[in-house]
Amino acid sequence: MEFAFLGWPDDGPTLRLDYQAFAYAGKFVMSNTGKAVARDPDADTGGEFADVLGAVAFNADRTDPSTAWLRYVTVREDRKGEEIGPRLCSFVVGRLLERFKRVTIAVNNPFAYEALYKVGFGFTGEETGIAELVLAYPAGSRTRENYQSGLECYRERELSGEEEAFLAARADADPPDAVHEPSRTSGN
């Protein structure tokens, strides 16, 4: 797998993803966010971006010029569970730290919450949007109590059986280790 930075928001990058294979596919066609992708270099490509395994869209926070937001993260449906999302987010955060002091993301499910913890994000205690918890990197707190307080927010919601089982397996657990910690990179 390789990672590619397609451009900053000012560059106006667009990405056409298969809407049947990727959640949020329509959000990547818009040119007002920066984009990065995870690609399979060995894929038999059937067109532009046919080798994409995952994608991230991002932009600057409108109220805090030192903060960037990861807006959308998507992984191809048939490749979920392979750590593509956390690895791609780590790559993107490394690039964003070239221009910003902090990176945030709002997640709407416990699977995304866990994946971002594996990158080194931590729950800020804030909620935004519809059922979204705000995570930040670098994390202010990655304690067991902080991690569990975010999971508790999900436990209070209507959940799928898979989400309930996921949360039950993490009752009283410590946060996962940051196994995909971002590093600052160089380049465009």
Side-chain angles (χ1 to χ4, degrees), residues 70 89 93 103-105 116-123 135-139 141-142 178 182:
L70 299 182
C89 286
V93 169
V103 179
T104 55
I105 185 169
L116 273 295
Y117 256 84
K118 290 180 180 179
V119 179
F121 280 76
F123 180 44
L135 302 172
Y137 185 94
S141 175
R142 285 181 46 88

mmCIF file of all heavy atoms in Angstrom, residues 70 89 93 103-105 116-123 135-139 141-142 178 182:
data_model
loop_
_atom_site.group_PDB
_atom_site.id
_atom_site.type_symbol
_atom_site.label_atom_id
_atom_site.label_comp_id
_atom_site.label_asym_id
_atom_site.label_seq_id
_atom_site.Cartn_x
_atom_site.Cartn_y
_atom_site.Cartn_z
ATOM 1 N N LEU A 70 -9.930 16.925 9.879
ATOM 2 C CA LEU A 70 -10.160 15.817 8.960
ATOM 3 C C LEU A 70 -11.672 15.794 8.786
ATOM 4 O O LEU A 70 -12.404 15.618 9.765
ATOM 5 C CB LEU A 70 -9.670 14.491 9.537
ATOM 6 C CG LEU A 70 -8.174 14.381 9.852
ATOM 7 C CD1 LEU A 70 -7.854 12.985 10.373
ATOM 8 C CD2 LEU A 70 -7.327 14.725 8.648
ATOM 9 N N CYS A 89 -4.847 8.062 7.891
ATOM 10 C CA CYS A 89 -4.996 9.245 8.757
ATOM 11 C C CYS A 89 -3.657 9.651 9.359
ATOM 12 O O CYS A 89 -3.341 10.837 9.446
ATOM 13 C CB CYS A 89 -6.028 8.984 9.849
ATOM 14 S SG CYS A 89 -7.729 8.992 9.243
ATOM 15 N N VAL A 93 -2.149 13.300 8.904
ATOM 16 C CA VAL A 93 -1.839 14.126 10.073
ATOM 17 C C VAL A 93 -0.380 14.560 10.028
ATOM 18 O O VAL A 93 -0.054 15.719 10.314
ATOM 19 C CB VAL A 93 -2.183 13.386 11.387
ATOM 20 C CG1 VAL A 93 -1.611 14.130 12.589
ATOM 21 C CG2 VAL A 93 -3.682 13.224 11.524
ATOM 22 N N VAL A 103 -4.766 18.881 14.926
ATOM 23 C CA VAL A 103 -5.670 18.283 13.947
ATOM 24 C C VAL A 103 -6.845 17.699 14.714
ATOM 25 O O VAL A 103 -6.662 17.021 15.731
ATOM 26 C CB VAL A 103 -4.971 17.185 13.118
ATOM 27 C CG1 VAL A 103 -5.938 16.570 12.118
ATOM 28 C CG2 VAL A 103 -3.736 17.739 12.419
ATOM 29 N N THR A 104 -8.050 17.968 14.244
ATOM 30 C CA THR A 104 -9.254 17.455 14.901
ATOM 31 C C THR A 104 -10.102 16.672 13.899
ATOM 32 O O THR A 104 -9.950 16.815 12.689
ATOM 33 C CB THR A 104 -10.099 18.603 15.488
ATOM 34 O OG1 THR A 104 -10.389 19.537 14.455
ATOM 35 C CG2 THR A 104 -9.379 19.304 16.627
ATOM 36 N N ILE A 105 -10.991 15.871 14.455
ATOM 37 C CA ILE A 105 -11.951 15.123 13.653
ATOM 38 C C ILE A 105 -13.171 14.854 14.523
ATOM 39 O O ILE A 105 -13.041 14.658 15.737
ATOM 40 C CB ILE A 105 -11.360 13.801 13.111
ATOM 41 C CG1 ILE A 105 -12.362 13.094 12.176
ATOM 42 C CG2 ILE A 105 -10.892 12.899 14.242
ATOM 43 C CD1 ILE A 105 -11.771 11.926 11.393
ATOM 44 N N LEU A 116 -9.159 6.141 15.347
ATOM 45 C CA LEU A 116 -8.407 7.377 15.541
ATOM 46 C C LEU A 116 -7.574 7.340 16.821
ATOM 47 O O LEU A 116 -6.509 7.955 16.888
ATOM 48 C CB LEU A 116 -9.341 8.589 15.510
ATOM 49 C CG LEU A 116 -9.614 9.166 14.122
ATOM 50 C CD1 LEU A 116 -8.386 9.739 13.487
ATOM 51 C CD2 LEU A 116 -10.273 8.204 13.180
ATOM 52 N N TYR A 117 -8.024 6.611 17.821
ATOM 53 C CA TYR A 117 -7.188 6.419 19.011
ATOM 54 C C TYR A 117 -5.902 5.690 18.629
ATOM 55 O O TYR A 117 -4.836 5.958 19.179
ATOM 56 C CB TYR A 117 -7.949 5.665 20.106
ATOM 57 C CG TYR A 117 -8.417 6.581 21.219
ATOM 58 C CD1 TYR A 117 -9.603 7.283 21.103
ATOM 59 C CD2 TYR A 117 -7.655 6.764 22.363
ATOM 60 C CE1 TYR A 117 -10.024 8.136 22.105
ATOM 61 C CE2 TYR A 117 -8.065 7.617 23.373
ATOM 62 C CZ TYR A 117 -9.252 8.307 23.235
ATOM 63 O OH TYR A 117 -9.656 9.169 24.238
ATOM 64 N N LYS A 118 -5.974 4.795 17.670
ATOM 65 C CA LYS A 118 -4.784 4.057 17.224
ATOM 66 C C LYS A 118 -3.793 4.964 16.505
ATOM 67 O O LYS A 118 -2.643 4.604 16.317
ATOM 68 C CB LYS A 118 -5.186 2.900 16.312
ATOM 69 C CG LYS A 118 -5.891 1.782 17.050
ATOM 70 C CD LYS A 118 -6.280 0.663 16.120
ATOM 71 C CE LYS A 118 -6.989 -0.439 16.860
ATOM 72 N NZ LYS A 118 -7.395 -1.526 15.945
ATOM 73 N N VAL A 119 -4.235 6.143 16.095
ATOM 74 C CA VAL A 119 -3.363 7.122 15.458
ATOM 75 C C VAL A 119 -2.755 8.060 16.504
ATOM 76 O O VAL A 119 -1.781 8.747 16.232
ATOM 77 C CB VAL A 119 -4.141 7.920 14.380
ATOM 78 C CG1 VAL A 119 -3.263 8.965 13.707
ATOM 79 C CG2 VAL A 119 -4.730 6.977 13.339
ATOM 80 N N GLY A 120 -3.316 8.070 17.712
ATOM 81 C CA GLY A 120 -2.816 8.948 18.763
ATOM 82 C C GLY A 120 -3.762 10.062 19.130
ATOM 83 O O GLY A 120 -3.440 10.914 19.956
ATOM 84 N N PHE A 121 -4.945 10.099 18.523
ATOM 85 C CA PHE A 121 -5.948 11.093 18.879
ATOM 86 C C PHE A 121 -6.514 10.776 20.260
ATOM 87 O O PHE A 121 -6.410 9.649 20.736
ATOM 88 C CB PHE A 121 -7.114 11.067 17.870
ATOM 89 C CG PHE A 121 -6.839 11.782 16.588
ATOM 90 C CD1 PHE A 121 -6.026 11.217 15.623
ATOM 91 C CD2 PHE A 121 -7.416 13.018 16.329
ATOM 92 C CE1 PHE A 121 -5.786 11.861 14.424
ATOM 93 C CE2 PHE A 121 -7.185 13.672 15.129
ATOM 94 C CZ PHE A 121 -6.364 13.090 14.169
ATOM 95 N N GLY A 122 -7.121 11.773 20.888
ATOM 96 C CA GLY A 122 -7.807 11.599 22.158
ATOM 97 C C GLY A 122 -9.105 12.386 22.158
ATOM 98 O O GLY A 122 -9.240 13.399 21.450
ATOM 99 N N PHE A 123 -10.058 11.919 22.924
ATOM 100 C CA PHE A 123 -11.368 12.568 23.042
ATOM 101 C C PHE A 123 -11.214 13.892 23.766
ATOM 102 O O PHE A 123 -10.605 13.971 24.830
ATOM 103 C CB PHE A 123 -12.332 11.633 23.776
ATOM 104 C CG PHE A 123 -13.717 12.171 23.969
ATOM 105 C CD1 PHE A 123 -14.398 12.818 22.958
ATOM 106 C CD2 PHE A 123 -14.368 12.007 25.182
ATOM 107 C CE1 PHE A 123 -15.692 13.308 23.135
ATOM 108 C CE2 PHE A 123 -15.660 12.475 25.376
ATOM 109 C CZ PHE A 123 -16.316 13.132 24.345
ATOM 110 N N LEU A 135 -12.362 14.477 18.450
ATOM 111 C CA LEU A 135 -11.061 13.957 18.854
ATOM 112 C C LEU A 135 -9.995 14.924 18.351
ATOM 113 O O LEU A 135 -10.197 15.595 17.335
ATOM 114 C CB LEU A 135 -10.814 12.575 18.254
ATOM 115 C CG LEU A 135 -11.833 11.497 18.589
ATOM 116 C CD1 LEU A 135 -11.577 10.239 17.770
ATOM 117 C CD2 LEU A 135 -11.782 11.169 20.057
ATOM 118 N N ALA A 136 -8.855 14.985 19.050
ATOM 119 C CA ALA A 136 -7.790 15.897 18.641
ATOM 120 C C ALA A 136 -6.432 15.204 18.694
ATOM 121 O O ALA A 136 -6.210 14.287 19.482
ATOM 122 C CB ALA A 136 -7.774 17.124 19.545
ATOM 123 N N TYR A 137 -5.535 15.692 17.831
ATOM 124 C CA TYR A 137 -4.128 15.282 17.825
ATOM 125 C C TYR A 137 -3.301 16.552 17.740
ATOM 126 O O TYR A 137 -3.573 17.384 16.877
ATOM 127 C CB TYR A 137 -3.815 14.385 16.621
ATOM 128 C CG TYR A 137 -2.398 13.872 16.685
ATOM 129 C CD1 TYR A 137 -2.124 12.649 17.259
ATOM 130 C CD2 TYR A 137 -1.334 14.643 16.218
ATOM 131 C CE1 TYR A 137 -0.820 12.189 17.349
ATOM 132 C CE2 TYR A 137 -0.034 14.195 16.321
ATOM 133 C CZ TYR A 137 0.219 12.980 16.883
ATOM 134 O OH TYR A 137 1.505 12.524 17.003
ATOM 135 N N PRO A 138 -2.297 16.757 18.556
ATOM 136 C CA PRO A 138 -1.961 15.847 19.639
ATOM 137 C C PRO A 138 -3.046 15.853 20.709
ATOM 138 O O PRO A 138 -3.714 16.854 20.922
ATOM 139 C CB PRO A 138 -0.634 16.389 20.169
ATOM 140 C CG PRO A 138 -0.493 17.775 19.649
ATOM 141 C CD PRO A 138 -1.394 17.892 18.465
ATOM 142 N N ALA A 139 -3.199 14.724 21.316
ATOM 143 C CA ALA A 139 -4.255 14.535 22.312
ATOM 144 C C ALA A 139 -3.891 15.236 23.604
ATOM 145 O O ALA A 139 -2.754 15.158 24.059
ATOM 146 C CB ALA A 139 -4.469 13.051 22.570
ATOM 147 N N SER A 141 -5.483 14.405 26.375
ATOM 148 C CA SER A 141 -5.589 13.335 27.362
ATOM 149 C C SER A 141 -5.920 12.021 26.673
ATOM 150 O O SER A 141 -6.858 11.942 25.889
ATOM 151 C CB SER A 141 -6.681 13.671 28.378
ATOM 152 O OG SER A 141 -6.870 12.590 29.259
ATOM 153 N N ARG A 142 -5.140 11.015 26.980
ATOM 154 C CA ARG A 142 -5.414 9.665 26.479
ATOM 155 C C ARG A 142 -5.517 8.690 27.650
ATOM 156 O O ARG A 142 -5.119 7.550 27.565
ATOM 157 C CB ARG A 142 -4.315 9.223 25.503
ATOM 158 C CG ARG A 142 -4.420 9.906 24.148
ATOM 159 C CD ARG A 142 -3.355 9.447 23.187
ATOM 160 N NE ARG A 142 -3.165 8.012 23.151
ATOM 161 C CZ ARG A 142 -3.841 7.157 22.360
ATOM 162 N NH1 ARG A 142 -4.770 7.620 21.557
ATOM 163 N NH2 ARG A 142 -3.581 5.868 22.388
ATOM 164 N N ALA A 178 -1.222 3.833 20.517
ATOM 165 C CA ALA A 178 -1.117 4.596 19.273
ATOM 166 C C ALA A 178 -0.100 3.880 18.381
ATOM 167 O O ALA A 178 1.086 4.175 18.413
ATOM 168 C CB ALA A 178 -0.694 6.033 19.554
ATOM 169 N N PRO A 182 1.565 9.545 13.877
ATOM 170 C CA PRO A 182 2.005 10.354 12.739
ATOM 171 C C PRO A 182 3.436 10.829 12.905
ATOM 172 O O PRO A 182 3.938 10.991 14.029
ATOM 173 C CB PRO A 182 1.065 11.562 12.767
ATOM 174 C CG PRO A 182 -0.097 11.136 13.585
ATOM 175 C CD PRO A 182 0.428 10.149 14.575
#
